[in-house]
Structure formats: C-alpha cells, structure tokens
Amino acid sequence: MKVSTRSTFKVSATGEHRTGFCENCQTQTVKEFYMDGERRRIRMVCPVCGGMGKLIAKTFSVQPPDPPQCLSFRCLFRFFMDTLFCALLSNYHKRRVAYAEKNRHKVILERYRTGEPSPKTIWQAIYDNTKLTCPICRKYN
Amino acid sequence: MAQTQTWTDTGIQELILLLEEAAATGMESIVCLEMATPCTAAVASTFANPADTAIHHTDSGLLLAAIDTVGHATVNTTGDTITFDHVFTATGTKNVAGIHTCNNDDDVTFIECCFNAVLAVENTDTITIDGQSTIDQA
C-alpha cells in the first residue's frame, strides 16, 4: 500500500487509551488542565489521589524516512536501511497495540502498553517482533 | 499497517485561504474515526469529509468536539509548530481507528491520523490525544 505524506508538514500524534477510573483508588478521573513548559495541556487525573486510569495502550507515531539526499551508493543504502527499519518498527507497534487492546483485562508486560522502550535499531526491531509473536517469550522481559 | 498521519489536501487549501485572508477558519475541532479495521492516512483522503457520519463517530463521547487546547511551540524555528491536546471520554463500546482535526465550520479536515491499531473503547474509557505539526524548513 502506498503511504503519501508531506515532507515539510510533519505531523506526529499519539492516542493514550486508559480506563476512566483511577488505578489506585477506583475514583472516576476528571479533566485537568496543566502547564508543560509553556504548553497548556490536558489530562485525566483522579480528584482524590492524583492518580490516572489504568493504561490500556498508547499508540506510537512512526515517521517515514527522509528521502535520499544524493544518488551515491552510500545515500541509497542508508535510505534502504532507514526504510527497512521504519517498516519493522511500524509492524512492531501495530502488533503491540493490537495485543495490548486484546488483553486489556489481562496482565501483560508494561512495555507492550506504553511502547517504551521502542526498538532503536533494525536488529532490535527484528528481535522485538519475533518476541511479540511468541506466546511464551512475550510474557518475560 | 503503520500508524500514519498527514495534512490533507483540503487542510492545505484552507491554510492558503487563511493566508489570503479569505473565508477560512483555523483548527478548532476534533473527531474520532469509527472503523473496525485500521485505516491509512492520505493527503487526498477519501474519508476526510467531517460531515461523513458513516465513518466519523456521532455519539458515545467520540463525536466532533472543540479541541481542548490548541497552541504553538518551537521545534526548529520560533513558533513553527502547532500543538493540540484533547481528551475523549467514551460513553459506550466503540472502535476508534484514528482522528481528524477540523476547522471551526467543521467542513474541512486539516490533519488525519490513523492509529497503529483499532482502539476498542468501553464505557468511561478515555483517549488522550497529543498532537503536533511542524512546518519544517530544516
């Protein structure tokens, strides 16, 4: 499938899916505006203890690789490797979010809910993808 | 498919109209996409029309609403980034495949984002959207 994006209008967005009740005291969370540096932001917090709802899954914004800057073998090879990494990373986060959503009521590793740590290299991405497909391996860190 | 996000063609058109000081409005609304399977964001999106109620949520707390906070930030040059945050609180069991941000008239989609996978929300669940878009000259 062809994915078309704009190179000069970069967009990044994440969705954090949580339950509506505090994971500490089970009170329903409410909206709270807060300042993150100069940025005015919003979150759902518990009015009693300041906790948050139980995290079910957090999506991850994968950015497409930058186009090659030259036609030399080195530039093209680098672009090929970046593209390969992007595909593996996308595949990992797609499967991770689906796995976390499917197991919302079960205990799974926190890394599959938060997406952190995210693979940083091709080999890490291959390893994490393989681990996620194995029903036994994905239970252990 | 990967999570994909992009400005749509209609969003660019609206932006140009804003620069031209013609009839146009800024980013003010957000809506969740209702699909059972993951979608793919595209510049010429076939489901970017906010009035298309077959694809956009119209109830259960996931419908078109004013964005909670819209601001600006700096990534490369001063004020080159628009930021937006919003919290949806579901009032029923629904599927959320992604989001659209729209203008004040709710007739143009600026940004389309399709999540990594479909989020299956239940009653009282919340989805916190953290978005930003940089006009990149770097």
Side-chain angles (χ1 to χ4, degrees):
Chain A
M1 185 178 292
K2 185 183 176 188
V3 178
S4 50
T5 57
R6 296 184 193 280
S7 59
T8 52
F9 279 70
K10 292 189 175 172
V11 181
S12 128
T14 58
E16 197 174 282
H17 182 193
R18 290 181 179 271
T19 59
F21 291 92
C22 175
E23 61 181 339
N24 301 324
C25 63
Q26 297 305 311
T27 308
Q28 186 155 16
T29 54
V30 295
K31 278 186 181 181
E32 179 194 71
F33 288 95
Y34 68 103
M35 295 304 291
D36 178 11
E38 292 184 352
R39 181 175 172 185
R40 186 169 178 261
R41 306 191 66 177
I42 188 167
R43 61 186 167 195
M44 297 296 282
V45 295
C46 172
V48 177
C49 70
M52 301 180 89
K54 184 176 179 296
L55 180 67
I56 297 165
K58 186 176 181 182
T59 69
F60 188 89
S61 187
V62 179
Q63 298 296 321
D66 292 328
Q69 301 297 310
C70 61
L71 289 175
S72 68
F73 175 77
R74 190 179 168 192
C75 285
L76 294 176
F77 183 72
R78 186 178 185 83
F79 176 67
F80 169 76
M81 296 303 275
D82 287 349
T83 307
L84 179 61
F85 174 65
C86 180
L88 290 165
L89 188 66
S90 299
N91 189 43
Y92 169 71
H93 285 289
K94 181 189 80 172
R95 296 165 82 155
R96 175 187 66 77
V97 174
Y99 172 65
E101 284 289 322
K102 193 178 175 184
N103 293 281
R104 64 172 285 159
H105 298 298
K106 294 179 183 171
V107 178
I108 62 171
L109 291 180
E110 200 63 16
R111 62 181 302 169
Y112 295 133
R113 298 206 184 276
T114 62
E116 295 292 339
S118 181
K120 296 281 188 290
T121 63
I122 287 176
W123 293 115
Q124 282 178 10
I126 292 171
Y127 175 78
D128 285 343
N129 268 309
T130 309
K131 192 175 170 185
L132 189 53
T133 55
C134 170
I136 297 169
C137 310
R138 68 188 175 203
K139 290 182 181 171
Y140 304 100
N141 241 329
Chain B
M1 194 62 224
Q3 172 163 321
T4 48
Q5 53 276 310
T6 186
W7 276 72
T8 64
D9 286 341
T10 56
I12 297 290
Q13 287 165 21
E14 188 79 353
L15 193 61
I16 297 302
L17 287 175
L18 271 173
L19 295 174
E20 193 190 342
E21 294 188 334
T25 55
M27 190 187 298
E28 292 196 26
S29 304
I30 191 166
V31 63
C32 286
L33 292 169
E34 182 174 24
M35 292 178 205
T37 54
C39 57
T40 302
V43 293
S45 175
T46 54
F47 45 82
N49 178 7
D52 185 352
T53 54
I55 291 163
H56 300 87
H57 280 283
T58 55
D59 58 6
S60 304
L62 305 166
L63 70 170
L64 193 70
I67 302 176
D68 285 326
T69 67
V70 180
H72 65 270
T74 297
V75 171
N76 298 313
T77 52
T78 306
D80 61 354
T81 299
I82 184 166
T83 60
F84 55 95
D85 291 273
H86 188 79
V87 175
F88 290 101
T89 303
T91 57
T93 302
K94 293 281 182 179
N95 288 324
V96 176
I99 54 144
H100 278 176
T101 60
C102 310
N103 64 347
N104 186 32
D105 307 313
D106 304 328
D107 60 353
V108 169
T109 290
F110 282 110
I111 292 171
E112 181 172 296
C113 173
C114 290
F115 295 143
N116 303 109
V118 174
L119 305 181
V121 298
E122 296 180 1
N123 188 24
T124 71
D125 279 1
T126 64
I127 298 176
T128 305
I129 304 296
D130 168 10
Q132 70 172 49
S133 175
T134 303
I135 298 179
D136 187 12
Q137 296 192 85

